[in-house]
Amino acid sequence: MAHQISLAVARRFLAIRHLLAPPRALPAEPESVMAVVDRFGSLQFDPLEVAGRNHDLVLQARIAGYRRELTDELLYGRRLLFEAHNKALNLLPARELPYYRITWDRGADGWAGRLLTEQAPLAQKLLAAITTQGPKCSADFEREGSIAWYWGPTTAVRAVLEAFAECGRLGLARRDGNRRYYDLVERLFPADLLAIRIPEREQRRHKLLSRYRAHGLLGATGSAELWLGIGPAPLRTELRAELMDRGEILPAAVEGLKGQRFIVADELPLLAQAGREIAAEAAGAPAQPGDGAPGASFLAPLDPIMWDREALEPLYGFEYRWEVYTPAAKRRWGYYVLPILFGDRLVGRIEPRIDRAGRIVRVLGLAWETGFDPLASSEFVAAFADALRAYLQFGSADSLVPPPGTSHRPLFRAISAQVPVRRGGAAAHHDGGATRPGPAKTAAAHRVALS
């Protein structure tokens, strides 16, 4: 029997299980990073850092005073985390490494393995240097000619190092910015961990479970990227049935969402909590998401709660597309825009930029969903101010430059006692090629919200 979940309970459940009700409730310590990773199974990595790297933004929304050094120490110091492909490049718990060896095996059998064969003399040279001298990056070797690689031509040295990593021969010793230093995997992980071998089908089943752990209410379909690396649809159907037979995921029917959804069995108490909270509010109690006052958070574009883009409209009435790869003239909202969650609702979007040299954060764009007035609720004003203060701390910034124009002035005037706001609008930006034109719908939303 599928669990019947109302739209309101589904939104509340997702906010609670995503550690966003309230946001930033975990202390700034490595154990909090591990708690988030353990809840979601993986955090998607993306190197773009215009507003903060994706995984850092995910953690910043859940950990008070989060610093990137907390995760870097777990990755490159204590090695409780490691990087591997799962949906995309992800940060994963090192103890689960045996469940992701399939990625290395497929790399060795695929293009990466063929490249190492084709570039055997160079591959042997690089491997010998790393074996005898320790971690190396591509800049440590003489530049070779360009060759075809996944995204286009790149240097042979870089491609070979990445191919070794994809095959599990090398791993990341550390990152220096976006420069990657590689070392032998046997020097990075314990021998007994590397020696564990798990049947391929079990690995694929674990990878499928990781997607349900990440989102919390995924269905059986959705965009193809949700299921990358698991296998074709018939195999996923078999593996999903096995997860249900094992009692690891449970079927659910969510009001307004097409098809069956699935909840991780261990999270039934969180679903029950969401139901109690919504029932109490229906009886007249004040809104208390997660047993606390509603908070605000800025969500990373690849935050697990955003993975199922097709579910955002029926769940939240919110349409979102990450537009970093959209030509500037065709962007609707902006280059690197973060959805704004308030309590358990998506109410707007913000486009911040961190100017580390100037120790400021510039808000290049701010838009509210139709019908949402940020000044109508003192709770939202306080929550928005708190989210901005946390983001300033995350960016090591001392002050905030509000968006250009006059429509947002009342809101920033209201928060100026809590957030150091500079006078004057944000400078024009040129991410991706051109300044973003404000679409008519955005401008209209601003007028409705702030008039």
Side-chain angles (χ1 to χ4, degrees):
M1 176 77 67
H3 290 266
Q4 303 295 315
I5 305 176
S6 71
L7 194 58
V9 171
R11 286 194 296 259
R12 183 61 54 86
F13 165 71
L14 287 173
I16 293 171
R17 66 89 51 193
H18 276 276
L19 304 171
L20 293 168
R24 299 176 298 281
L26 298 174
E29 58 189 27
E31 289 73 20
S32 295
V33 175
M34 292 304 302
V36 175
V37 175
D38 287 342
R39 169 66 58 86
F40 300 149
S42 61
L43 296 181
Q44 194 161 338
F45 178 90
D46 188 89
L48 285 177
E49 200 171 355
V50 293
R53 297 176 301 180
N54 183 78
H55 70 278
D56 289 322
L57 287 167
V58 171
L59 293 165
Q60 184 270 336
R62 292 151 173 96
I63 299 174
Y66 170 77
R67 308 181 310 279
R68 60 190 297 167
E69 293 80 13
L70 295 176
T71 304
D72 289 348
E73 171 60 21
L74 293 169
L75 277 165
Y76 314 126
R78 295 166 63 183
R79 301 207 175 276
L80 297 181
L81 298 176
F82 77 110
E83 293 185 22
H85 280 83
N86 180 41
K87 178 181 178 289
L89 185 60
N90 278 248
L91 309 185
L92 302 161
R95 65 176 179 276
E96 295 184 10
L97 185 152
Y99 289 96
Y100 294 96
R101 291 191 69 103
I102 186 173
T103 302
W104 293 349
D105 297 338
R106 291 294 168 267
D109 293 338
W111 193 4
R114 292 194 297 272
L115 177 71
L116 294 178
T117 300
E118 295 168 2
Q119 299 287 329
L122 176 60
Q124 292 170 7
K125 170 186 170 183
L126 301 185
L127 193 60
I130 291 172
T131 300
T132 58
Q133 301 170 31
K136 298 284 186 183
C137 69
S138 60
D140 290 329
F141 300 97
E142 293 182 11
R143 184 181 179 88
E144 303 279 343
S146 293
I147 60 174
W149 195 224
Y150 286 108
W151 59 87
T154 191
T155 66
V157 167
R158 181 179 178 183
V160 167
L161 288 173
E162 291 183 0
F164 269 130
E166 190 171 326
C167 296
R169 300 280 300 281
L170 298 177
L172 279 186
R174 69 181 189 277
R175 285 181 181 265
D176 185 359
N178 284 328
R179 181 167 289 177
R180 291 163 290 180
Y181 286 80
Y182 296 91
D183 201 357
L184 304 177
V185 293
E186 54 264 35
R187 292 202 289 236
L188 301 177
F189 303 104
D192 56 349
L193 184 67
L194 293 174
I196 297 173
R197 293 294 187 272
I198 292 175
E200 180 179 310
R201 188 179 185 88
E202 190 174 344
Q203 291 186 59
R204 291 184 185 274
R205 189 172 63 229
H206 183 85
K207 286 166 72 71
L208 179 61
L209 176 61
S210 77
R211 311 303 163 86
Y212 291 105
R213 289 168 64 191
H215 183 269
L217 272 179
L218 278 184
T221 58
S223 63
E225 67 174 324
L226 285 171
W227 315 110
L228 288 175
I230 297 172
L235 176 60
R236 296 199 303 269
T237 299
E238 294 177 12
L239 297 176
R240 192 177 301 109
E242 291 175 11
L243 288 173
M244 286 191 286
D245 289 342
R246 292 160 61 94
E248 295 185 71
I249 61 173
L250 304 171
V254 179
E255 176 189 1
L257 295 186
K258 295 179 180 179
Q260 198 170 53
R261 296 273 155 170
F262 300 91
I263 182 173
V264 177
D266 290 346
E267 296 184 354
L268 283 181
L270 301 180
L271 180 63
Q273 178 185 344
R276 290 193 301 271
E277 290 183 7
I278 295 299
E281 289 170 20
Q288 297 285 311
D291 293 328
S297 50
F298 307 146
L299 302 181
L302 302 172
D303 193 295
I305 200 173
M306 303 296 294
W307 276 13
D308 191 357
R309 300 290 166 83
E310 295 177 6
L312 293 177
E313 177 66 30
L315 270 173
Y316 302 101
F318 190 84
E319 180 184 347
Y320 183 72
R321 178 182 180 183
W322 195 32
E323 297 182 309
V324 290
Y325 301 115
T326 302
K330 296 183 178 181
R331 290 180 196 135
R332 184 178 179 187
W333 301 109
Y335 177 67
Y336 204 103
V337 174
L338 311 181
I340 301 173
L341 185 77
F342 175 52
D344 57 14
R345 300 301 300 267
L346 290 168
V347 300
R349 42 199 106 208
I350 186 170
E351 187 176 11
R353 292 294 179 277
I354 298 172
D355 179 350
R356 297 190 185 278
R359 296 184 63 84
I360 59 176
V361 166
R362 302 181 187 275
V363 179
L364 304 181
L366 185 62
W368 306 108
E369 291 298 280
T370 301
F372 180 76
D373 182 351
L375 290 172
S377 166
S378 60
E379 282 189 329
F380 177 77
V381 172
F384 186 61
D386 187 63
L388 286 173
R389 283 197 305 270
Y391 190 80
L392 286 175
Q393 183 180 8
F394 169 68
S396 300
D398 299 321
S399 59
L400 178 89
V401 177
T406 60
S407 60
H408 298 292
R409 286 181 183 173
L411 175 60
F412 282 87
R413 191 179 302 120
I415 66 171
S416 60
Q418 292 82 39
V419 181
V421 178
R422 290 194 181 188
R423 294 183 179 274
H429 64 295
H430 304 282
D431 295 311
T435 301
R436 170 174 58 89
K441 183 173 180 180
T442 307
H446 288 178
R447 288 194 295 272
V448 168
L450 295 171
S451 60

